[in-house]
Amino acid sequence: MEGGLVSLRREGTPQGGPLSPMLSNVLLDELDKELERRGHRFVRYADDSNVYVRSKAAGERVMATLERFLEKRLRLRINRDKSAVARPWKRKFLGYSVTPHRKPKLKTAPQSIKRLKSKLRLFFRRARGRNLEQVIRELGPIIRGWVTYFRLSEVRIGFELLDQWLRRKLRCILWRQWKRPKTRRKKLIALGLDPARARLSAGNGRGPWWNAGASHMNRAIPTRRLRRMGLLSFLDEYRRLVCSS
């Protein structure tokens, strides 16, 4: 898109298509052979590559020599903004990272969780005036797809925290939809809250996000109610996939 108009593509390949990784393998096969010749341990997918060495000094030396090799031999430039010499647990590869233990475990990279939350925030912004059950139904494919990709993770805390965050966002949508203190009081009473507590909670003057995490909303909209509406759990989907593999 140039200036809002569709124009003919004259260079490059479509992102996400099968042609891009295939051409990367053709072009970077020489890089793989060079790393093997040097005896380095490395992993590469398309143009994303990690090389593992024993020290920071060795990493900086390898980075410099590989940069020269790519520029002179293959006429390619390393993207310095996305490249670094760092500990494995401070970097990500294909959305994954590792724990800093002696025997590291594979985990979902914090950047991947942050990216998912950004995507869901846009989704929730569009969903503010819609029926909550419909919103939950549309969340299903997103949750399934994301968990399926990250099912190799050996650390489950990320899935648990996402579940907590997601439930709070859904309660936040309801609190915004109720709008006025009078409406909020009526809704809270209808959902089982004591009238006196409902009146105090509805008029507390706090924002939607605070109220979504407060005890009155957790009592009125418990997890079991959201589950009955069809809400999938990141953690439950992860456990299901792990058990079935």
Side-chain angles (χ1 to χ4, degrees), residues 176-241:
R176 288 180 185 277
Q177 288 178 351
W178 295 343
K179 292 183 180 179
R180 298 180 181 180
K182 185 178 179 181
T183 305
R184 288 168 179 168
R185 179 176 61 81
K186 288 181 177 179
K187 292 287 187 181
L188 291 171
I189 292 172
L191 290 166
L193 242 67
D194 176 79
R197 186 181 179 190
R199 179 175 53 81
L200 289 172
S201 300
N204 61 36
R206 301 271 193 163
W209 182 247
W210 186 91
N211 278 284
S215 60
H216 54 270
M217 281 299 281
N218 279 272
R219 176 73 181 274
I221 312 291
T223 302
R224 64 178 178 275
R225 183 183 291 274
L226 294 172
R227 293 283 180 87
R228 283 200 298 268
M229 291 181 183
L231 179 64
L232 292 177
S233 162
F234 284 93
L235 183 58
D236 287 351
E237 281 295 299
Y238 166 73
R239 284 171 172 163
R240 182 182 64 80
L241 290 171

Side-chain angles (χ1 to χ4, degrees), residues 1 119 123-124 138 225:
M1 300 287 287
K119 176 182 177 180
F123 172 82
F124 288 131
E138 292 179 15
R225 183 183 291 274

Side-chain angles (χ1 to χ4, degrees), residues 149-164:
Y149 182 83
F150 288 106
R151 68 188 182 278
L152 298 177
S153 176
E154 299 171 275
V155 180
R156 68 182 191 180
I157 185 64
F159 301 100
E160 293 176 7
L161 294 176
L162 275 172
D163 276 333
Q164 295 172 17

Side-chain angles (χ1 to χ4, degrees), residues 7-146:
S7 59
L8 183 65
R9 184 192 301 275
R10 297 190 179 278
E11 62 180 16
T13 59
Q15 188 173 5
L19 182 60
S20 298
M22 189 190 77
L23 291 177
S24 296
N25 287 336
V26 171
L27 182 62
L28 296 175
D29 180 63
E30 200 167 344
L31 171 64
D32 295 343
K33 289 176 178 176
E34 176 66 16
L35 290 169
E36 288 172 355
R37 187 186 66 78
R38 297 184 187 187
H40 292 314
R41 294 186 177 185
F42 69 97
V43 59
R44 180 179 66 79
Y45 179 82
D47 63 342
D48 197 357
S49 181
N50 284 358
V51 181
Y52 301 100
V53 293
R54 291 185 176 274
S55 67
K56 183 178 180 180
E60 290 173 346
R61 184 174 63 253
V62 170
M63 172 77 86
T65 57
L66 286 180
E67 190 169 18
R68 288 197 297 271
F69 173 83
L70 288 168
E71 286 182 355
K72 291 181 179 179
R73 192 71 167 268
L74 303 179
R75 298 183 181 181
L76 297 173
R77 289 194 302 273
I78 290 178
N79 187 334
R80 278 291 183 176
D81 294 333
K82 295 182 179 179
S83 305
V85 177
R87 300 284 190 183
W89 52 87
K90 293 185 178 179
R91 304 294 293 173
K92 69 178 180 69
F93 184 71
L94 303 180
Y96 283 91
S97 187
V98 294
T99 61
H101 301 124
R102 187 174 185 84
K103 290 185 177 180
K105 293 183 177 181
L106 198 64
K107 70 171 189 176
T108 307
Q111 300 96 315
S112 300
I113 294 174
K114 185 177 179 181
R115 191 179 301 114
L116 174 66
K117 285 184 174 181
S118 297
K119 176 182 177 180
L120 289 176
R121 283 190 186 99
L122 293 174
F123 172 82
F124 288 131
R125 232 173 256 138
R126 298 192 297 268
R128 285 178 183 174
R130 291 160 58 196
N131 178 273
L132 192 64
E133 290 191 23
Q134 183 184 353
V135 172
I136 287 173
R137 280 197 301 272
E138 292 179 15
L139 279 172
I142 298 173
I143 294 171
R144 286 194 189 95
W146 195 86

